[in-house]
Amino acid sequence: MNRIYVDNAATTKMSKAAIEAMLPYLEECYGNSSSLHTVGQLAAEALFKARQSIAESIGADIKEIYFTSGGSEADNQALISAAEMGARKGKKHIISQKTEHHAILHTLKKLEKQGFKVDLLNVDGEGNVTPEQIAEAIGPDTALVTIMTANNEIGTIMPIKEIAAVCKEKGVLFHTDAVQAVGHIPLDVHDIGCDMLSLSAHKFHGPKGAGALYVRKGLMPSCLIEGGAQERGRRAGTENIAGIVSMAAALKEAIGNISENTPRLIAMRDRLIKGLSEIPHSILNGSIINRLPGSVNMCFEGIEGESLLLLLDAKGICASSGSACTSGALDPSHVLLAIGRPHEVAHGSLRLTLSEENTPEEIEFIIKSTKDVVEYLRNMSPIWQDLQEGKRKYVIQ
Ligand SMILES: *Cc1c(COP(=O)(O)O)cnc(C)c1O
């Protein structure tokens, strides 16, 4: 069967360029960059070039890039670094918001257990947090503000530049989880004004297991993995050279394609939103304006997201109900709850995240299939029966 892949927020297919860039470092140049012989030094050179390329791609200096195993590790390292830097000055307060990725939320939970005070700010109905909320929450003991650049479930793009400015003015460190944004929208660390930024290769057509943390010059990240002196002593372990080289190639390619891909993605995204909104008692999640180009998330009343996914999969459509971490669990998405969807509505969610490989024909097939499947599921649902007979009130009008 010809599969239609619309789960690019979970992970992306590797690009040809990313695969080709990787192969020499699996075959001939398999050295350890710490070795003094030629094979090792070829690896060291490749590592240097990849670091330079990734730094350039986000407007950073080569000394400001620390390679990690992905977005989760970069987030952990950022938060723990800021917490330790803060604690040394007696600052033990951290500000974030409710729709962050679990790599942030669970690390904050751990820090809370270690005596840090964590404030998770509420978001508005579109999943946004304002610079004013941040300014109000910052106190004399605030060590860090961490706000994601764009949400992985509902695609909302946060006003991080304005938030970074507030943090700078108040002398508080600012980190952003930009995993969904890097390679998808134009970004520059100096333009944002952040102190730290996380990125992950497999979200922009690179390999899984490679990521990076940008740390502004003058700040010293904490070391989570002890051992050798790799990453300037801040992250031990023989480097994933093939993955890192491939990540650099994928990022360069993705950034080069942004201007060409964006209008196409927005056209397909908006057609999907329009088509799916024709389904009665449906609602778009997230902002219609400040939204990632390829991201769609809708709720349909009276259905279970899991059943919808399985029936769409049977038609060859690979979609999601939210983040890969929450699907499979029975809890509704913390993001949909945070934007005010009641439990029963949050359960009926569908996330479709596009890439440049999708076509307008696929979009039409997805709209038609989703309409059919939602109708089929509703016809079998006793809850839907009650809603139709007026025994229950619709939550989504
Ligand atoms: C995918 C994702 C992560 C985790 O990245 P991994 O490389 O899978 O560890 C963190 N934050 C956001 C917003 C993500 O979408």
Side-chain angles (χ1 to χ4, degrees), residues 276-326:
L276 295 178
S277 298
E278 287 164 8
I279 296 175
H281 306 285
S282 64
I283 193 164
L284 176 72
N285 296 313
S287 167
I288 187 78
I289 303 154
N290 295 318
R291 188 173 195 98
L292 286 173
S295 173
V296 175
N297 191 315
M298 307 267 310
C299 281
F300 307 104
E301 188 154 7
I303 63 150
E304 283 293 331
E306 279 71 26
S307 321
L308 177 58
L309 288 187
L310 292 178
L311 291 173
L312 287 177
D313 188 45
K315 291 177 185 283
I317 299 169
C318 306
S320 163
S321 62
S323 74
C325 323
T326 47

Side-chain angles (χ1 to χ4, degrees), residues 101-120:
H101 190 272
H102 285 123
I104 297 288
L105 293 176
H106 291 174
T107 306
L108 291 176
K109 270 258 167 303
K110 186 158 128 180
L111 289 169
E112 231 171 8
K113 285 192 189 129
Q114 294 170 6
F116 288 85
K117 185 177 175 301
V118 175
D119 272 334
L120 291 185

Side-chain angles (χ1 to χ4, degrees), residues 1-52:
M1 194 192 322
N2 230 345
R3 297 210 177 273
I4 299 177
Y5 187 80
V6 280
D7 197 13
N8 287 281
T11 196
T12 57
K13 178 179 162 182
M14 280 185 72
S15 72
K16 288 233 154 49
I19 294 173
E20 272 164 24
M22 164 177 251
L23 291 177
Y25 297 91
L26 301 172
E27 290 168 352
E28 309 95 56
C29 312
Y30 48 81
N32 182 327
S33 75
S34 303
S35 304
L36 292 179
H37 51 64
T38 309
V39 180
Q41 286 315 296
L42 284 173
E45 198 179 309
L47 188 66
F48 177 84
K49 284 194 178 140
R51 200 184 302 278
Q52 196 164 43

Side-chain angles (χ1 to χ4, degrees), residues 9 69-73 75 101 103 148 150 152 177 179-180 200 202-203:
S69 65
S72 299
E73 188 187 326
D75 284 346
H101 190 272
M148 68 203 318
N152 47 302
D177 173 345
V179 171
Q180 287 293 332
S200 175
H202 77 99
K203 302 291 176 76

